[in-house]
Amino acid sequence: MSLKKIAQITGASAATVSRVLNNPDYHCQNRELTEKIRQAARELGYVPNQNARMLKLGENRAYAHGDRQYRIDILLARFDSLEEDPFFAEMFRYVETECHKLGCVIGRIMHVTDVPAVEAEGGRVRADGLIILGKCPAASADVLLRRYGGVAAIDRNPMDYRMDEITCNGAHAAVMAVEYLLELGHTSIAYVGDCTMEARYNGYYECLAKHKISMIYDYIVSTNQTREEGGRAFERLAALKKPPTAVFCANDVTALGLLGAMKAYNGRRRRDIYRPAVISIDDVEEAVRCSPMLTTIQIPKGDMAHLAVQLLKDRLQGGHQECVRLELPCRLLVRESAGMYVP
């Protein structure tokens, strides 16, 4: 399927279609057009002309005619739609772009609730391989490993399943965030996020314990890590007799909700302004568009997607047999929100 065909369907120019499909960070001024182009490419099974790609990149060899085209399904393990979690929505775009680069076709986009139907189908599914975004239940992973020729998972933490995994260490990212707040002089630090067997929560309290700082349970707000719950968490912390001077949010979406509630809260007051320092994990695109810009720990989404697709294709081609787990480093991005505290 050519870029020109997608351009005709979407009403965009071929150049715009090319930029959208080859650069996961590119957005048209009309964001609906960006998604319309990507959706059309999925529905039409778009695969770029590899010979043209090699020529454009200055490669001396043409695409090998014997190189098989693989169909790759995607499982959204933690949410029901790409709109619910910006981190995995952005990760999906990177995976999609990497599939295009390697001549793979995106197949079904599934959720955990679809796994029983996959099991009921029996035998192998139509697609060759599967990429899992986020942690899925162990029972679902067992079904998928039986049905697909290869499976690769991408998550912030290892899943310890019998599949190739590309991860970052959530506990290490949390320690990096809390250590930075401690360097700024904060000792009353709240945590907002999932507290159930969550590596980022473990990293938070282990870092406080290392520095012999007592954990104040009023500063722990357990959430499902959504924007709405981030807003409610701010209201709860602001109502405390002695609120924390800093807040560590387990992900950017929660932090964005918290910052929005903070802005609304202080906009209603001339006195008793409360602006705690805020830091989180992910580095989604909106982190630099909000005000104040969000200080966060960057998870290398592009590299994670690149390595996951490479590993999956290598397994499908018989290149490796053992399960591979690659843990990538994360890094601190200092912006405005961590310097917010007003006593």
Side-chain angles (χ1 to χ4, degrees):
M1 180 57 60
S2 69
L3 294 176
K4 291 183 179 179
K5 181 65 175 178
I6 297 173
Q8 290 172 0
I9 293 172
T10 60
S13 68
T16 297
V17 172
S18 178
R19 283 192 288 269
V20 168
L21 297 181
N22 291 301
N23 181 358
D25 296 320
Y26 179 81
H27 293 283
C28 307
Q29 287 186 337
N30 180 352
R31 285 184 171 258
E32 291 183 1
L33 179 59
T34 303
E35 182 51 35
K36 188 177 180 181
I37 291 169
R38 292 186 175 278
Q39 184 63 35
R42 290 173 209 140
E43 293 175 354
L44 296 172
Y46 168 74
V47 178
N49 183 316
Q50 296 295 336
N51 286 327
R53 177 184 292 277
M54 292 296 181
L55 183 61
K56 183 177 180 180
L57 295 176
E59 296 283 351
N60 292 324
R61 62 179 180 84
Y63 182 64
H65 293 291
D67 196 355
R68 179 181 167 187
Q69 183 182 99
Y70 293 100
R71 178 175 291 273
I72 307 298
D73 286 347
I74 308 290
L75 175 69
L76 310 179
R78 289 176 61 95
F79 48 97
D80 294 329
S81 74
L82 291 171
E83 288 72 33
E84 289 185 34
D85 190 318
F87 174 81
F88 281 110
E90 292 170 23
M91 182 69 78
F92 175 85
R93 293 205 309 269
Y94 280 104
V95 168
E96 191 172 40
T97 300
E98 290 299 324
C99 285
H100 293 159
K101 289 179 180 178
L102 292 178
C104 298
V105 178
I106 297 292
R108 289 190 296 179
I109 300 174
M110 303 185 299
H111 311 283
V112 171
T113 53
D114 297 319
V115 174
V118 173
E119 184 174 26
E121 291 173 3
R124 287 287 178 87
V125 295
R126 181 184 175 191
D128 302 288
L130 173 74
I131 290 181
I132 300 175
L133 301 183
K135 187 178 182 67
C136 73
S140 297
D142 288 339
V143 171
L144 298 169
L145 284 164
R146 291 196 299 268
R147 294 293 183 263
Y148 287 89
V151 180
I154 304 174
D155 198 13
R156 301 178 185 93
N157 303 297
M159 292 189 288
D160 297 322
Y161 297 160
R162 295 175 292 106
M163 62 180 67
D164 295 329
E165 297 182 54
I166 309 296
T167 75
C168 268
N169 190 310
H172 289 174
V175 169
M176 187 179 296
V178 177
E179 288 282 3
Y180 180 67
L181 293 174
L182 292 170
E183 288 176 13
L184 295 177
H186 298 284
T187 55
S188 58
I189 302 171
Y191 171 85
V192 178
D194 186 6
C195 299
T196 308
M197 300 297 290
E198 174 53 57
R200 283 162 284 182
Y201 177 58
N202 294 341
Y204 161 79
Y205 74 70
E206 287 172 4
C207 188
L208 293 185
K210 173 186 172 183
H211 289 273
K212 297 181 172 56
I213 296 174
S214 299
M215 191 163 63
I216 300 174
Y217 287 96
D218 282 344
Y219 291 173
I220 310 301
V221 184
S222 182
T223 74
N224 289 325
Q225 301 177 174
T226 65
R227 189 184 298 259
E228 293 73 22
E229 291 184 349
R232 288 193 289 270
F234 176 83
E235 298 286 349
R236 173 175 161 179
L237 294 172
L240 295 174
K241 185 175 181 180
K242 187 178 180 181
T245 65
V247 182
F248 164 51
C249 295
N251 67 350
D252 282 358
V253 174
T254 302
L256 291 168
L258 188 142
L259 288 175
M262 180 171 66
K263 187 174 182 178
Y265 176 92
N266 291 318
R268 298 192 299 265
R269 288 165 169 74
R270 294 184 180 180
R271 303 175 62 185
D272 300 324
I273 297 296
Y274 176 51
R275 295 194 185 100
V278 179
I279 192 169
S280 60
I281 296 175
D282 279 347
D283 189 34
V284 299
E285 292 173 352
E286 194 178 345
V288 294
R289 296 201 302 267
C290 64
S291 179
M293 290 189 290
L294 181 61
T295 296
T296 187
I297 307 298
Q298 182 190 57
I299 304 297
K301 299 184 287 290
D303 285 344
M304 294 175 81
H306 171 74
L307 291 168
V309 178
Q310 290 275 5
L311 271 177
L312 179 56
K313 187 169 182 180
D314 186 70
R315 178 174 290 279
L316 294 174
Q317 292 174 332
H320 71 283
Q321 301 298 319
E322 295 296 332
C323 292
V324 175
R325 180 185 297 162
L326 298 178
E327 181 180 307
L328 275 63
C330 48
R331 65 188 181 101
L332 172 67
L333 296 178
V334 177
R335 299 190 181 115
E336 299 167 340
S337 67
M340 291 292 294
Y341 179 60
V342 177

